[in-house]
Amino acid sequence: MRYGALMAALLLGACAKPREEPMSSRGALKDAPAAVSSSGSERPQPRGAATVRTDQGTYSAPAVRFSADFLNDPPVPLMRVALSAQSEDGGSWRFRMAVDAKFLESKHATARIISQTALGPGLAVVDSQLAQGPAMTMDEGTLELTVTGNQARGEVRTKDGRVRATFEGPLTIECMVPPAWLSGANVQGAPPAPVPSSPDEGTIRVPDEALATRQCRSVADAFR
């Protein structure tokens, strides 16, 4: 009887142990995917805005703006790149830069920074303002801009070469055309847009938001 009882106890112990281990192992594997999924959802997402970093702080904006203003005669666009960013405490940092048609191919431009407001290709204005402080315009330096796809990045340097600011972010396209262009032969498959009335139509520009004109489509295609 003692021998029979001992064998029964050993058999019960041997059967019980394997049953516990597989259950514990399956439970650990079942929890593992949930842990990976949780950590994945907590990863920081890329920012969908332009960011400016300076020695005075960080500023942000929805995007870097590229604008093309087409004229009637000659049909050559006036093109600008601009960024107007703000800091959390209410400060601001801005630049405006004029570029020419070559920029659509090279996607790169360097401009000399000036303190005047009138801009031509190769010139830029950079100004900033601390929260509750006076506005300051940068007198001299260079602004370098590069666009890759629809992403813009660049930097502002002083005359002696020191980096004063860097910026990067998505590029948005704004295209303005004479009203007649939207209702003329250049429109392909798009209804004419409403236009403002004026005795001098040549001075009016209207936004071609649908890129109905081939001129605006060409500008937008350059940054895809």
Side-chain angles (χ1 to χ4, degrees):
M1 295 294 294
R2 292 179 181 177
Y3 177 81
L6 178 60
M7 291 299 294
L10 290 174
L11 288 172
L12 287 173
C15 293
K17 188 173 183 180
R19 288 174 184 170
E20 291 176 358
E21 288 182 351
M23 288 178 64
S24 175
S25 177
R26 283 195 298 270
L29 291 174
K30 182 179 179 181
D31 293 339
V36 172
S37 175
S38 174
S39 64
S41 64
E42 294 174 0
R43 294 175 184 171
Q45 299 298 314
R47 296 183 60 180
T51 301
V52 181
R53 295 179 176 84
T54 74
D55 53 1
Q56 297 177 336
T58 301
Y59 305 79
S60 63
V64 181
R65 302 191 315 275
F66 177 91
S67 62
D69 185 359
F70 282 90
L71 305 177
N72 253 330
D73 187 21
V76 176
L78 300 176
M79 294 185 289
R80 301 276 195 278
V81 183
L83 175 61
S84 180
Q86 290 189 331
S87 61
E88 293 183 355
D89 61 3
S92 64
W93 189 92
R94 303 180 301 176
F95 82 77
R96 287 173 292 126
M97 176 184 188
V99 296
D100 56 23
K102 296 178 182 179
F103 180 72
L104 297 178
E105 297 181 2
S106 67
K107 313 296 192 305
H108 178 82
T110 300
R112 180 170 61 90
I113 296 173
I114 60 174
S115 58
Q116 304 172 4
T117 57
L119 294 179
L123 300 176
V125 173
V126 178
D127 60 72
S128 61
Q129 184 174 9
L130 297 177
Q132 300 178 350
M136 296 177 292
T137 301
M138 191 171 174
D139 293 332
E140 294 180 314
T142 57
L143 190 156
E144 187 171 357
L145 170 68
T146 300
V147 178
T148 304
N150 62 353
Q151 295 292 313
R153 59 181 174 84
E155 63 181 21
V156 171
R157 291 179 176 270
T158 59
K159 188 177 180 180
D160 60 7
R162 292 184 297 110
V163 177
R164 285 287 301 274
T166 61
F167 59 89
E168 59 182 341
L171 187 76
T172 60
I173 309 299
E174 300 174 354
C175 191
M176 306 290 289
V177 298
W181 288 20
L182 288 179
S183 57
N186 286 329
V187 177
Q188 298 178 1
V195 297
S197 59
S198 169
D200 184 6
E201 185 177 301
T203 63
I204 295 178
R205 303 291 179 271
V206 292
D208 182 5
E209 297 178 351
L211 303 179
T213 60
R214 66 175 174 80
Q215 290 87 351
C216 290
R217 285 197 305 273
S218 177
V219 170
D221 289 344
F223 300 106
R224 295 189 187 279

